[in-house]
Amino acid sequence: MITNNRSGLVAQLSSPRLLILLILLFALGLRLYKSSVHGLYLDEKFTLINTSGVSLEGYNQHDVFFTPGKTYFTPKEFWKEKPLKDYIRAIIQTDIGNSPSHYALLWAWIQVFGMSDLSIRMPSILFSTLIVGLVFLLVRRYLRSDSLALLCAFLTAIEPFFIAYSHMARNYCMTIFITLLGTYLFLRILDRRAEGKQPIGLYIAYGLSFALATLGHYLAVTIFLCHGLYLVLFNRDLKTYIGLGISTIGGAVGLIIPWFVFGGGKYTFQTLAYQAKLYGGLALTNPYNNGFGIILPATLGNVVKKSIPVLADLFMFSNGLSTDTLAFRNLIIAFALGCVAVLIIHRFGRGRSVPVWVSILIPLLLVAGFAVYSVQSPRLIVAAAVPLFYYLLSQAFLSYTNRPERRFLFLLVLMSTIPTLFLIAIAFRNGHTYGITQRYSGFSFPYALILVGLTVREVFRQSTYLRLTLAAVLLLQSYYIADLLYRIYEDQAPKYTYYGHYRIENPYATAANRIKSMYTPGDTVLYPSPRTAPRDEVENTYTTHSIIDAQYTNLYLPKDATYYQRMDTTQTDRIILVKGSTKQQVTIFDFEGTKYRY
C-alpha cells in the first residue's frame, strides 16, 4: 500500500498539467522580479503620453502651457479630457502611427489599475508569461509529446528576450503573443477543415488576431505571410482558401485599412520612407557620430556581420555569438571546425559501435581553434558546436515520418527565419543596416525556441561520447544565459535593455511623489526648460523652450490637483519647489543633464 501510494503521488507530481503550471509560475516570477526597479526609458515614456492623449511638447496643450499672459498651469488643466484626435496625433508624433491596438489596451488597463511603472508594464509581463503556455499547447498538439512540450515551455520561460521585454511598457510581448495565437488558430482551422468542418468561430478569431497583431506592430505581418506561404505549398482545399481569405480581408477592412487610411497609420509609411532616406544618407556620410547609433551602408559584408548576432540570439544554444566580441575571423574558424566534426560524425560516429578515435577527436575539434584564435573566449567552444547542434536538429526532423508533423516543422523553420530575412531584404532596399535589430525579428522567438527544444532533446538521444560532449557545451552556454539574465536584471545588457548602466527608479514618479508630500497652498513648482531643437514639422510645436519634464511629471500627479506650476527657462536640470511663505527653494529632483533622463 505504501509503495502504491508513493507511486501515485509521484505520478501526480510529474503530471504535465502540474508541471506546466509550475513552469508558468516560474516564468511569471522571473518576469515580475525587478520589473519596476528601473526607470522608464524613452520609448516607454512615449507609451505613457500616447495612452494619455498628450502630444510631446504640448501641441494639443497650447491653452495649458502657451496662452499669452498665462504664467501658471495645474495638473487639473494638464489632465483635461481629450478627444480621440489627440490620442491619434500623439501616436503619430512619437510612434509614427504604429501600435494603436497596444495603446488602446494599455489605456483601458490604466483606467482599471492606475498609473505606475509596475501597472503599465504588467500587460507585457502577462503576455510574456502567456507565450510560455501557448508554446506548450502548440508543441503538445502538433509534435505529440508532453515531455518536449514541457522542455520548450521551460526554455521559453528563461528566454532572455522575453524576460527583458516583459519589463518594457511597449508592444512587443503583446504582439508576439497575438501572432503566436494566430499561428495556433491557423493550424486549428486546417485541422477542422481536414475533418470536413467549417470553423466559423476560428475564422473570425484568426481575422481578429491578424488585425490586432498588425495594429500592434506592422512587422507582425511577416508571420501571417508565412501562413500564406504554407497554405500555398501544402493545401489544395478551395473552401479553406475562401474561409481564411474572408477572415483576413475582414480583419483588414474592419480594422487595419481604416487606421492606415483614415487614422494615424497613414503617416507610418510616409515616416518609414523619410527614415529610409535619412538613415541611408547618414550611412554614407556619418555612420558613427550621427545621434542615432551606428548606421552602416548595406554592403554584403556589413549586412552579414549585422545579421549574425540577430540570428544567433534567436537560438538559445548560439545566443551571444557576436562578431563584435569574438571577431568574424574567429567565428569562421570555429564554424569550420564544427563542420569538420559534423562530417566525421555523419560518416563514422552514428553507429552502435563508434571508433575510439572519433570519441576523442570530436571534443578536440571543439577546442582546437584556440591555437589560432585572436580572442581566447570560451564562447568559441559554443561557436564550434553550433554546426553540431544544427546537424542534430536535422536528425530530429528526420525522426518524424508523419506528414503533418513534418509540415509543422517546415512551418516552424519558415516563421523562425522569414522575419529576419525580411529585415535583411529591407536593409538592401533602403541602403543601410539600421533596421536589422533583435526586437524587429522578435516574432520568430517562440518558433525558434521549439527548434531549440528539439535540438536539446536530440542531444540526449546520442551516443555517450557525443551526449557528454554536447551536454558540457550546453552547460557552458547555460552559464552565459544565466549571466545574461543577471545583466538584464542589473540593467547592464544594452542589446536587451538599451542601457549599460543601472537606472534608478522612475525620476518623474519620484519627483511627483515628493511634490505631493511637500506641496502646500501658496507654493509653486518650477520645471527646467531647455531650448527646443525639433528635427521636423511633427516634432515642432513652435515654442522655443521644452516642457517635456513638466509633462512627464504631471503624468504622475493627481488629475484634480491645483498645484501651481510654471516653466523656469533660466535653468535646465532641476525641478524646484518654491515655498510660498518663505520663498525658500527646495530641489525636488536634479536630472544632472542627461544622466537621469533615460
Side-chain angles (χ1 to χ4, degrees):
M1 288 296 295
I2 294 175
T3 302
N4 289 337
N5 289 338
R6 286 181 177 175
S7 62
L9 178 62
V10 170
Q12 290 179 10
L13 292 176
S14 60
S15 69
R17 288 185 178 181
L18 177 60
L19 291 175
I20 187 57
L21 177 60
L22 293 175
I23 290 173
L24 287 170
L25 290 174
F26 176 61
L28 181 61
L30 289 176
R31 286 147 178 77
L32 283 171
Y33 180 60
K34 286 199 170 185
S35 56
S36 60
V37 168
H38 306 302
L40 306 184
Y41 80 102
L42 183 64
D43 285 1
E44 290 183 289
K45 289 185 282 190
F46 289 168
T47 295
L48 267 187
I49 62 172
N50 289 347
T51 54
S52 303
V54 173
S55 286
L56 203 65
E57 296 292 13
Y59 179 87
N60 65 336
Q61 294 183 314
H62 277 253
D63 57 332
V64 178
F65 293 99
F66 310 127
T67 299
K70 184 174 183 293
T71 308
Y72 299 93
F73 58 91
T74 67
K76 187 174 182 178
E77 293 173 320
F78 176 90
W79 278 111
K80 70 173 184 176
E81 191 169 341
K82 299 171 182 62
L84 179 61
K85 66 178 183 180
D86 283 356
Y87 292 89
I88 294 175
R89 207 282 177 179
I91 296 172
I92 291 170
Q93 182 178 10
T94 60
D95 214 348
I96 69 170
N98 194 25
S99 305
S101 61
H102 175 254
Y103 291 127
L105 171 70
L106 191 56
W107 177 88
W109 180 273
I110 290 171
Q111 303 310 304
V112 177
F113 298 102
M115 180 89 75
S116 70
D117 288 2
L118 179 59
S119 174
I120 65 171
R121 286 169 173 168
M122 186 58 73
S124 293
I125 291 169
L126 295 177
F127 280 119
S128 181
T129 304
L130 289 173
I131 289 170
V132 176
L134 197 47
V135 165
F136 172 80
L137 293 177
L138 199 64
V139 175
R140 185 175 66 168
R141 183 173 189 87
Y142 293 102
L143 292 179
R144 304 178 187 279
S145 171
D146 286 340
S147 60
L148 179 61
L150 289 167
L151 173 60
C152 293
F154 175 76
L155 293 173
T156 308
I158 64 172
E159 167 56 49
F161 178 89
F162 288 136
I163 292 173
Y165 280 80
S166 72
H167 289 184
M168 298 181 189
R170 294 295 286 167
N171 60 60
Y172 301 107
C173 289
M174 183 199 82
T175 310
I176 292 170
F177 171 79
I178 295 176
T179 56
L180 183 60
L181 179 61
T183 298
Y184 185 78
L185 293 169
F186 171 74
L187 293 170
R188 291 295 292 127
I189 288 171
L190 298 186
D191 292 344
R192 300 302 294 275
R193 287 297 306 137
E195 298 168 358
K197 298 177 180 178
Q198 195 72 342
I200 304 300
L202 290 176
Y203 282 133
I204 294 172
Y206 181 77
L208 191 59
S209 70
F210 168 66
L212 293 177
T214 305
L215 293 176
H217 197 290
Y218 60 90
L219 287 176
V221 74
T222 55
I223 294 298
F224 293 91
L225 288 175
C226 293
H227 298 169
L229 180 58
Y230 178 88
L231 198 67
V232 169
L233 292 174
F234 298 119
N235 194 283
R236 298 294 179 267
D237 179 53
L238 180 59
K239 289 185 178 179
T240 303
Y241 279 84
I242 293 173
L244 283 169
I246 292 174
S247 67
T248 304
I249 293 171
V253 172
L255 293 173
I256 297 174
I257 291 177
W259 176 256
F260 281 98
V261 173
F262 305 108
K266 63 184 177 182
Y267 294 94
T268 301
F269 298 111
Q270 295 177 19
T271 306
L272 288 174
Y274 164 76
Q275 289 177 345
K277 185 177 180 179
L278 172 65
Y279 297 150
L282 291 174
L284 296 174
T285 60
N286 190 14
Y288 296 101
N289 299 307
N290 51 58
F292 295 99
I294 298 176
I295 307 177
L296 300 176
T299 63
L300 180 61
N302 287 338
V303 170
V304 169
K305 290 181 181 180
K306 191 72 181 286
S307 302
I308 285 175
V310 173
L311 286 167
D313 288 356
L314 278 175
F315 300 93
M316 197 174 287
F317 54 70
S318 57
N319 184 292
L321 302 184
S322 166
T323 56
D324 292 334
T325 56
L326 298 175
F328 187 68
R329 170 182 173 275
N330 294 335
L331 287 176
I332 292 297
I333 294 172
F335 190 81
L337 291 170
C339 289
V340 172
V342 167
L343 293 174
I344 293 172
I345 290 171
H346 186 74
R347 178 66 180 84
F348 302 105
R350 295 195 301 163
R352 291 186 177 180
S353 178
V354 177
V356 175
W357 66 269
V358 172
S359 62
I360 296 173
L361 183 59
I362 296 304
L364 287 178
L365 282 171
L366 299 185
V367 298
F370 284 96
V372 293
Y373 291 148
S374 59
V375 177
Q376 300 294 303
S377 171
R379 281 191 184 274
L380 289 165
I381 298 175
V382 179
V386 165
L388 291 172
F389 288 129
Y390 281 114
Y391 173 73
L392 292 185
L393 178 59
S394 70
Q395 297 304 300
F397 279 19
L398 294 175
S399 68
Y400 287 95
T401 57
N402 184 283
R403 180 177 292 180
E405 291 172 343
R406 300 193 81 167
R407 288 180 174 179
F408 174 70
L409 292 173
F410 178 78
L411 180 61
L412 289 180
V413 172
L414 281 180
M415 294 185 294
S416 297
T417 56
I418 290 295
T420 303
L421 294 178
F422 182 82
L423 296 179
I424 291 172
I426 293 298
F428 281 118
R429 179 181 178 275
N430 292 339
H432 64 83
T433 62
Y434 195 58
I436 304 177
T437 186
Q438 185 190 60
R439 65 183 182 274
Y440 293 153
S441 64
F443 305 102
S444 292
F445 271 95
Y447 316 106
L449 284 162
I450 297 174
L451 299 181
V452 172
L454 282 165
T455 306
V456 172
R457 185 180 68 171
E458 195 67 20
V459 166
F460 290 94
R461 291 178 170 180
Q462 302 306 303
S463 300
T464 302
Y465 84 96
L466 188 56
R467 181 171 68 249
L468 293 177
T469 299
L470 292 182
V473 175
L474 289 175
L475 186 62
L476 175 62
Q477 181 65 356
S478 297
Y479 165 79
Y480 287 116
I481 295 296
D483 178 67
L484 175 57
L485 290 177
Y486 171 79
R487 288 186 288 112
I488 287 172
Y489 287 129
E490 294 300 308
D491 218 22
Q492 297 173 2
K495 186 173 183 178
Y496 288 83
T497 64
Y498 310 150
Y499 282 88
H501 61 275
Y502 199 94
R503 285 172 291 168
I504 63 171
E505 291 188 13
N506 190 328
Y508 295 101
T510 299
N513 289 331
R514 290 175 181 171
I515 291 170
K516 287 187 287 185
S517 65
M518 298 175 65
Y519 187 91
T520 57
D523 294 348
T524 302
V525 181
L526 306 183
Y527 290 100
S529 187
R531 294 191 66 85
T532 55
R535 289 188 294 266
D536 55 49
E537 189 175 284
V538 172
E539 289 186 5
N540 195 354
T541 56
Y542 310 104
T543 61
T544 58
H545 289 79
S546 174
I547 61 169
I548 288 179
D549 291 322
Q551 287 182 306
Y552 288 151
T553 305
N554 272 263
L555 289 170
Y556 296 94
L557 292 175
K559 294 184 178 182
D560 59 351
T562 56
Y563 308 149
Y564 280 92
Q565 307 171 91
R566 67 177 177 85
M567 307 310 302
D568 180 5
T569 59
T570 66
Q571 54 95 23
T572 61
D573 289 328
R574 294 185 300 146
I575 299 176
I576 300 169
L577 179 66
V578 181
K579 302 302 291 182
S581 57
T582 64
K583 304 303 179 183
Q584 177 189 4
Q585 293 193 356
V586 179
T587 297
I588 296 294
F589 194 89
D590 188 345
F591 292 101
E592 298 182 30
T594 60
K595 182 176 180 179
Y596 297 114
R597 289 184 170 104
Y598 306 126

